[in-house]
C-alpha cells in the first residue's frame, strides 16, 4: 500500500520548548490507511531519527487505566522499524494533548505497554512516559573492545565508576561513560563498523555519558542502525540509563535525574528521569513544541 495522499504528517520537537532544540519527530495521528512500507517511506522522506504512527482512534483504556485513551503506536527510523522510541512518544503525546487536551494515554508498542501523562505547566505542556520493565546486562569483553575501536575511544578514557553495560527499557542501549566532558565531546566514529556491531548485539543506540554531578549527566547517542549519525535527545536511552544507574547502585533508589543532550549538535534538550522506590519501571519526561506552527 502506498502513502495515502490525505496523510497528515505533523512535525514536533521533544525535550525542548524551542523548535530549534531537542529531537524532531514526525507524527501521524491517523495512520490507519498506511502499512509498514508506507510508514517507512514517510519516515525516510522526513529524515528524522524516528517518526511515530498511530492506528485506531483512541479507545478508552481498560480498568487498569480509567479515563485514559489507548492507541497502538509504531515507530520508524529512516531505515527500519524500531520497537520503542521515547522522543517520538513524547512528541505524539503532546500532539494529542494539543488536539484533545492534557490527560492520560496508553500506547501499545512492540516493546510493551507504555502509559503517558500530559500535564500543562503554565504555557507549556509536559509529557511523562513510564517505561516497560527494564533489564541490565553485561557486555562481553570482545564486544566492548570492538565498540571502543569503532568510536576510537581508548579504554583509559572511560570512567571506571560507571562500568559498561547493555541496558533495556523498551530498546537495547550500550552505556559507556566518558571520564571527561572533553572525551564525550570528541565524537567522530566509524559509522559502518559501529553499525555492524550494533546489528549483531541488537542495539538501538549507544548511550555515551559524562557525569557532571550526582544527579546530572551529559549524554550523546550514536544511531547508525537508524541511518542517523547522532540522535539529539533519546527518551528510550534515558529510561534505560536510569535503570542502569539503579541496577549498579550509582544513585538512590528514588531520585530525579537531569540529562542534557544535543548541546554538541547545536540542538540542546533536557530529559528528566525519575526512579521510584516502589516501581522498577522508569519515568522520562520533557516538554516539546510543534515545528512550523
Amino acid at each position: 500500500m502506498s502513502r495515502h495522499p490525505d496523510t497528515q504528517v505533523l512535525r514536533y520537537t521533544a525535550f525542548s520548548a524551542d523548535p530549534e532544540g531537542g529531537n524532531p519527530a514526525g507524527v501521524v495521528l491517523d495512520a490507519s490507511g498506511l502499512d509498514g512500507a508506507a510508514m517507512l517511506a514517510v519516515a525516510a522522506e522526513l529524515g528524522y531519527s524516528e517518526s511515530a504512527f498511530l492506528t485506531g482512534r483512541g479507545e478508552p483504556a481498560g480498568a487498569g487505566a480509567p479515563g485514559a485513551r489507548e492507541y497502538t503506536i509504531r515507530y520508524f527510523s529512516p531505515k527500519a522499524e524500531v520497537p520503542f522510541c521515547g522522543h517520538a512518544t513524547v512528541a505524539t503525546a503532546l500532539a494529542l494533548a494539543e488536539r484533545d487536551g492534557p490527560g492520560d494515554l496508553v500506547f501499545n508498542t512492540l516493546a510493551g505497554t507504555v502509559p503517558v501523562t500530559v500535564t500543562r505547566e503554565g504555557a507549556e505542556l509536559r509529557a511523562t512516559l513510564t517505561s516497560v520493565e527494564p533489564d541490565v546486562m553485561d557486555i562481553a569483553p570482545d564486544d566492548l573492545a570492538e565498540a571502543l575501536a569503532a568510536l576510537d575511544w581508548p579504554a583509559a578514557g572511560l570512567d571506571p565508576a560507571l562500568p559498561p553495560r547493555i541496558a533495556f527499557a523498551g530498546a537495547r542501549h550500550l552505556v559507556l561513560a566518558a571520564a571527561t566532558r572533553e572525551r564525550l565531546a570528541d565524537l567522530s566514529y566509524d559509522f559502518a563498523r559501529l553499525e555492524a556491531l550494533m546489528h549483531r548485539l541488537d542495539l538501538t543506540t549507544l548511550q555515551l555519558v559524562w557525569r557532571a554531578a550526582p544527579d546530572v549527566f551529559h549524554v550523546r547517542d550514536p544511531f547508525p542502525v537508524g541511518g542517523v549519525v547522532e540522535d539529539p535527545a533519546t527518551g528510550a536511552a534515558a529510561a534505560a540509563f536510569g535503570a542502569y544507574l539503579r541496577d549498579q547502585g550509582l544513585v538512590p533508589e528514588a531520585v530525579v535525574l537531569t540529562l542534557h543532550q544535543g548541546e554538541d549538535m547545536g540542538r540542546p534538550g533536557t530529559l528528566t528521569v525519575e526512579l521510584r522506590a516502589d516501581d522498577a519501571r522508569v519515568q522520562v519526561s520533557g516538554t516539546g513544541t510543534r515545528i512550523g506552527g
Side-chain angles (χ1 to χ4, degrees):
M1 181 185 297
S2 62
R3 172 181 170 183
H4 192 278
D6 294 333
T7 300
Q8 184 181 20
V9 182
L10 306 176
R11 294 164 174 81
Y12 276 77
T13 194
F15 301 115
S16 174
D18 181 350
E20 299 299 320
N23 198 354
V27 176
V28 177
L29 295 180
D30 181 6
S32 56
L34 305 180
D35 64 4
M39 295 180 197
L40 179 61
V42 171
E45 181 180 343
L46 284 172
Y48 296 150
S49 56
E50 277 107 356
S51 294
F53 301 83
L54 289 182
T55 60
R57 298 189 179 275
E59 298 299 324
R69 288 164 287 138
E70 185 170 2
Y71 297 86
T72 297
I73 188 168
R74 296 175 70 178
Y75 309 96
F76 286 82
S77 78
K79 293 181 69 172
E81 186 168 11
V82 297
F84 175 65
C85 172
H87 87 272
T89 297
V90 167
T92 303
L94 295 176
L96 286 169
E98 288 190 345
R99 188 187 72 181
D100 303 328
D104 294 326
L105 306 163
V106 175
F107 288 154
N108 295 312
T109 79
L110 290 179
T113 301
V114 177
V116 184
T117 297
V118 182
T119 57
R120 184 174 294 281
E121 299 179 357
E124 293 182 353
L125 291 169
R126 173 173 288 269
T128 300
L129 67 86
T130 301
S131 77
V132 300
E133 289 274 341
D135 192 16
V136 179
M137 298 144 273
D138 291 337
I139 180 170
D142 288 351
D143 292 333
L144 173 59
E146 178 63 11
L148 293 175
L151 291 170
D152 195 23
W153 279 19
L158 297 179
D159 183 347
L162 282 75
R165 294 289 188 274
I166 294 173
F168 168 88
R172 287 162 55 92
H173 308 267
L174 173 58
V175 177
L176 296 175
T180 65
R181 181 68 179 89
E182 291 73 22
R183 168 52 60 195
L184 184 67
D186 185 16
L187 182 61
S188 178
Y189 66 91
D190 186 325
F191 190 97
R193 187 173 183 177
L194 188 60
E195 180 184 21
L197 175 68
M198 292 174 69
H199 277 301
R200 182 162 61 79
L201 299 181
D202 190 28
L203 300 174
T204 298
T205 73
L206 267 63
Q207 177 82 330
L208 307 179
V209 309
W210 174 70
R211 192 171 201 168
D215 58 355
V216 178
F217 295 83
H218 291 257
V219 303
R220 302 185 73 175
D221 283 72
F223 187 33
V225 295
V228 176
V229 173
E230 184 177 356
D231 214 9
T234 319
F241 183 55
Y244 157 88
L245 291 171
R246 178 169 50 198
D247 179 81
Q248 297 297 302
L250 295 167
V251 293
E253 220 178 313
V255 67
V256 176
L257 308 167
T258 300
L259 275 55
H260 298 289
Q261 190 175 348
E263 290 180 355
D264 297 290
M265 302 176 64
R267 292 197 65 95
T270 302
L271 302 90
T272 301
V273 176
E274 183 173 357
L275 303 176
R276 295 161 294 170
D278 60 347
D279 194 343
R281 300 172 301 171
V282 180
Q283 289 192 331
V284 178
S285 65
T287 60
T289 191
R290 187 165 179 176
I291 300 171

